[in-house]
Amino acid sequence: MTFKLAVFGNPIEHSLSPLIHQHFASQYGQDITYERILVEHTFAQKADEFFSSGGFGCNITVPCKLNALDYATELTPRAKIAQAVNTLKFNGFVNQKPQFLGDNTDGAGFFQDLKRLNCPLKGSNILILGAGGATRGILPNLMDYRTKVKSITVANRTTAKIRKIFENLQEQVDTGAFLELKASNYESLEPDMHFDVIINATSLSMNNELPKIPPELYSHAQFVYDLYYTKDGSTIFTNKARSLNVEHCYDGLGMLVGQAAQSYELWTGVLPDTENTINYIRSVLQQQ
Ligand code: ATR
């Protein structure tokens, strides 16, 4: 069987998804086609065209993830929690109407990458910077009682945004009784606080800017992760952490490949190992 796949978004011409999925398919001896589809007007119309011409599954990126949520006829539990869909799968017909399963693989892809990198999670104190869509996406797996994290502090310019995210997720995620959730602004982060893991989920690295946190926080951390990715694997944030002797510093390319791997599993039943594909995509980026 050939899986006909695609990614929808705007802009879309630089999407790495076709390369990532082709690399997975070649590793597992599967046959896929994977195209980029620019959504200039309505997502639903483009998606209808794709699925009626034999499309089996697609990824959805900015700005169409809410349109894809509406398009899905059924949602996975993690898509319900995220209230955004980045993956659709054709699910046959009911009363001659096509059915589409909507999923959100961002959080699981991030979590898969943390596990690949042996991030210390059990018993750890985690600091997440930023409270946008990216933070919402990565929180459920970290908050889940099975992950055994001790505390999660989210820092943002406005704490109201954090509280809203916590309230919403606490209704849907089984956090267990002992997880401490804290909302903070940047000014309240003190140099003597200890976080084992610091995750930058702000958009600051994109503009080569650093979050305003005390430098001591880096020095105390064992593991630092920036959701932003670059050609060489270092961002202004990971460089800062490295200069303050954090041993394990990573950019977000592994998360990008991880979320793709989770989508690939939904479509084909195979969860790809991401290591080779991350190396391959890094080498492609370096040639660009
Ligand atoms: P995404 O959905 O990808 O997470 P976003 O919703 O634009 O993107 O969120 C980006 C995050 O970066 C937000 O938490 C934002 O902080 P605010 O919630 O206070 O807006 C954060 N961010 C962007 N610019 C920032 C800056 N100059 N200083 C601190 N945080 C910043």
Side-chain angles (χ1 to χ4, degrees):
M1 163 175 184
T2 300
F3 294 95
K4 181 177 157 81
L5 308 169
V7 58
F8 291 73
N10 188 351
I12 204 64
E13 69 271 25
H14 298 298
S15 169
L16 292 168
S17 294
L19 292 179
I20 296 171
H21 286 281
Q22 290 290 0
H23 197 261
F24 291 155
S26 67
Q27 275 191 303
Y28 293 94
Q30 291 178 313
D31 197 15
I32 69 164
T33 62
Y34 195 111
E35 58 184 314
R36 298 181 184 91
I37 297 179
L38 176 68
V39 179
E40 281 173 305
H41 303 293
T42 52
F43 169 77
Q45 188 191 337
K46 286 281 184 189
D48 283 347
E49 281 168 24
F50 172 72
F51 285 112
S52 61
S53 65
F56 181 71
C58 64
N59 286 124
I60 302 94
T61 186
V62 179
C64 304
K65 291 186 188 184
L66 290 180
N67 306 114
L69 180 74
D70 291 340
Y71 194 82
T73 52
E74 190 190 340
L75 295 174
T76 61
R78 59 195 186 187
K80 271 188 203 149
I81 292 174
Q83 281 301 301
V85 160
N86 78 336
T87 310
L88 284 167
K89 177 186 166 191
F90 172 61
N91 235 2
F93 292 90
V94 171
N95 298 332
Q96 286 154 11
K97 285 209 170 111
Q99 303 295 301
F100 301 102
L101 179 63
D103 195 6
N104 190 307
T105 64
D106 288 330
F110 172 71
F111 200 63
Q112 184 178 348
D113 207 40
L114 290 189
K115 285 194 276 183
R116 177 183 72 90
L117 298 167
N118 297 315
C119 175
L121 291 169
K122 196 174 164 191
S124 68
N125 296 302
I126 298 183
L127 173 63
I128 300 176
L129 307 171
T135 297
R136 266 185 60 94
I138 65 174
L139 268 172
N141 289 78
L142 295 176
M143 286 169 63
D144 189 298
Y145 74 97
R146 287 165 293 192
T147 308
K148 299 190 171 71
V149 163
K150 183 165 178 246
S151 74
I152 301 175
T153 303
V154 177
N156 199 48
R157 292 184 290 199
T158 50
T159 51
K161 218 165 155 181
I162 308 170
R163 289 185 219 287
K164 206 165 158 201
I165 296 177
F166 281 162
E167 272 166 33
N168 183 268
L169 292 181
Q170 274 173 309
E171 283 171 16
Q172 303 178 71
V173 179
D174 188 352
T175 62
F178 302 106
L179 176 70
E180 293 170 53
L181 291 173
K182 300 172 202 168
S184 172
N185 44 37
Y186 291 98
E187 296 75 30
S188 309
L189 294 173
E190 302 286 349
D192 62 352
M193 291 177 164
H194 277 67
F195 299 103
D196 307 289
V197 176
I198 307 180
I199 298 162
N200 184 13
T202 69
S203 49
L204 285 166
S205 292
M206 209 182 290
N207 303 320
N208 228 26
E209 289 176 48
L210 282 169
K212 292 190 177 57
I213 63 170
E216 290 82 357
L217 296 191
Y218 296 97
S219 310
H220 300 153
Q222 298 167 45
F223 186 103
V224 155
Y225 195 103
D226 195 341
L227 266 45
Y228 184 65
Y229 67 84
T230 64
K231 277 182 193 184
D232 65 2
S234 64
T235 70
I236 180 169
F237 180 73
T238 62
N239 283 339
K240 177 77 179 174
R242 211 177 293 279
S243 76
L244 293 165
N245 298 321
V246 184
E247 200 178 332
H248 303 289
C249 305
Y250 302 99
D251 78 341
L253 188 63
M255 175 181 178
L256 177 74
V257 178
Q259 62 78 29
Q262 299 279 331
S263 298
Y264 193 89
E265 183 185 30
L266 185 79
W267 300 322
T268 68
V270 174
L271 177 64
D273 180 69
T274 53
E275 193 81 46
N276 284 340
T277 306
I278 293 167
N279 293 336
Y280 164 69
I281 296 295
R282 188 83 73 194
S283 71
V284 170
L285 288 172
Q286 285 170 359
Q287 283 158 25
Q288 280 176 357

Short mmCIF file of all heavy atoms in Angstrom, two decimals, residues 130-134 156-157 161 186 201-204, ligand 1:
data_model
loop_
_atom_site.label_atom_id
_atom_site.label_comp_id
_atom_site.label_asym_id
_atom_site.label_seq_id
_atom_site.Cartn_x
_atom_site.Cartn_y
_atom_site.Cartn_z
N GLY A 130 7.46 30.83 29.36
CA GLY A 130 6.45 31.11 28.34
C GLY A 130 5.15 30.39 28.64
O GLY A 130 5.15 29.34 29.30
N ALA A 131 4.06 30.97 28.18
CA ALA A 131 2.74 30.37 28.43
C ALA A 131 1.86 30.47 27.18
O ALA A 131 0.68 30.75 27.26
CB ALA A 131 2.08 31.03 29.63
N GLY A 132 2.47 30.22 26.03
CA GLY A 132 1.71 30.25 24.77
C GLY A 132 1.27 28.85 24.38
O GLY A 132 1.21 27.94 25.21
N GLY A 133 0.97 28.69 23.09
CA GLY A 133 0.48 27.41 22.58
C GLY A 133 1.49 26.30 22.80
O GLY A 133 1.11 25.15 23.08
N ALA A 134 2.78 26.61 22.69
CA ALA A 134 3.80 25.58 22.85
C ALA A 134 3.78 25.02 24.27
O ALA A 134 3.85 23.80 24.48
CB ALA A 134 5.18 26.16 22.52
N ASN A 156 5.97 33.53 33.09
CA ASN A 156 5.50 34.29 31.92
C ASN A 156 5.34 35.75 32.32
O ASN A 156 5.32 36.08 33.51
CB ASN A 156 4.15 33.72 31.45
CG ASN A 156 3.85 34.12 30.02
OD1 ASN A 156 4.70 33.99 29.15
ND2 ASN A 156 2.65 34.62 29.78
N ARG A 157 5.23 36.64 31.29
CA ARG A 157 5.04 38.06 31.62
C ARG A 157 3.73 38.26 32.37
O ARG A 157 3.65 39.09 33.27
CB ARG A 157 5.07 38.90 30.34
CG ARG A 157 6.44 38.91 29.70
CD ARG A 157 6.48 39.81 28.50
NE ARG A 157 5.72 39.26 27.39
CZ ARG A 157 5.87 39.63 26.13
NH1 ARG A 157 6.77 40.57 25.83
NH2 ARG A 157 5.16 39.10 25.17
N LYS A 161 -2.42 34.13 32.37
CA LYS A 161 -2.41 33.18 31.26
C LYS A 161 -2.01 31.78 31.74
O LYS A 161 -2.56 30.77 31.31
CB LYS A 161 -1.37 33.69 30.25
CG LYS A 161 -1.73 33.51 28.81
CD LYS A 161 -0.80 34.38 27.97
CE LYS A 161 -0.68 33.84 26.58
NZ LYS A 161 0.23 34.66 25.76
N TYR A 186 8.62 36.69 35.62
CA TYR A 186 10.08 36.59 35.56
C TYR A 186 10.74 37.25 36.77
O TYR A 186 11.73 36.76 37.29
CB TYR A 186 10.59 37.21 34.25
CG TYR A 186 10.20 36.38 33.05
CD1 TYR A 186 9.10 36.70 32.28
CD2 TYR A 186 10.93 35.25 32.70
CE1 TYR A 186 8.71 35.92 31.20
CE2 TYR A 186 10.55 34.45 31.63
CZ TYR A 186 9.44 34.80 30.88
OH TYR A 186 9.06 34.01 29.82
N ALA A 201 10.03 27.79 26.20
CA ALA A 201 8.89 27.67 25.27
C ALA A 201 8.40 29.05 24.84
O ALA A 201 7.28 29.20 24.39
CB ALA A 201 7.77 26.87 25.93
N THR A 202 9.25 30.07 25.03
CA THR A 202 8.91 31.39 24.49
C THR A 202 9.37 31.44 23.04
O THR A 202 10.07 30.54 22.56
CB THR A 202 9.65 32.52 25.24
OG1 THR A 202 11.05 32.44 24.93
CG2 THR A 202 9.46 32.44 26.74
N SER A 203 9.00 32.52 22.36
CA SER A 203 9.45 32.69 20.98
C SER A 203 10.72 33.54 20.92
O SER A 203 11.11 34.00 19.85
CB SER A 203 8.32 33.33 20.16
OG SER A 203 7.82 34.46 20.85
N LEU A 204 11.37 33.76 22.06
CA LEU A 204 12.48 34.72 22.12
C LEU A 204 13.70 34.32 21.27
O LEU A 204 14.32 35.18 20.64
CB LEU A 204 12.93 34.90 23.58
CG LEU A 204 11.98 35.76 24.43
CD1 LEU A 204 12.32 35.61 25.91
CD2 LEU A 204 12.09 37.21 24.02
P1 ATR B 1 3.43 29.58 20.71
O1 ATR B 1 1.97 29.40 20.46
O2 ATR B 1 4.30 29.00 19.63
O3 ATR B 1 3.86 29.19 22.08
P2 ATR B 1 2.94 32.32 21.33
O4 ATR B 1 1.56 31.99 21.71
O5 ATR B 1 3.21 33.52 20.51
O6 ATR B 1 3.66 31.14 20.56
O7 ATR B 1 3.75 32.36 22.68
C1 ATR B 1 5.02 32.76 22.74
C2 ATR B 1 5.44 32.87 24.20
O8 ATR B 1 6.63 33.66 24.19
C3 ATR B 1 4.42 33.59 25.07
O9 ATR B 1 4.38 33.01 26.34
C4 ATR B 1 5.01 34.99 25.17
O10 ATR B 1 4.77 35.64 26.38
P3 ATR B 1 3.38 36.40 26.71
O11 ATR B 1 2.39 35.32 27.02
O12 ATR B 1 3.71 37.22 27.90
O13 ATR B 1 3.04 37.18 25.49
C5 ATR B 1 6.49 34.71 25.09
N1 ATR B 1 7.22 35.89 24.66
C6 ATR B 1 7.22 36.46 23.43
N2 ATR B 1 8.00 37.57 23.43
C7 ATR B 1 8.47 37.69 24.69
C8 ATR B 1 9.32 38.65 25.36
N3 ATR B 1 9.84 39.68 24.72
N4 ATR B 1 9.59 38.44 26.67
C9 ATR B 1 9.07 37.39 27.35
N5 ATR B 1 8.26 36.47 26.79
C10 ATR B 1 7.97 36.63 25.48
#
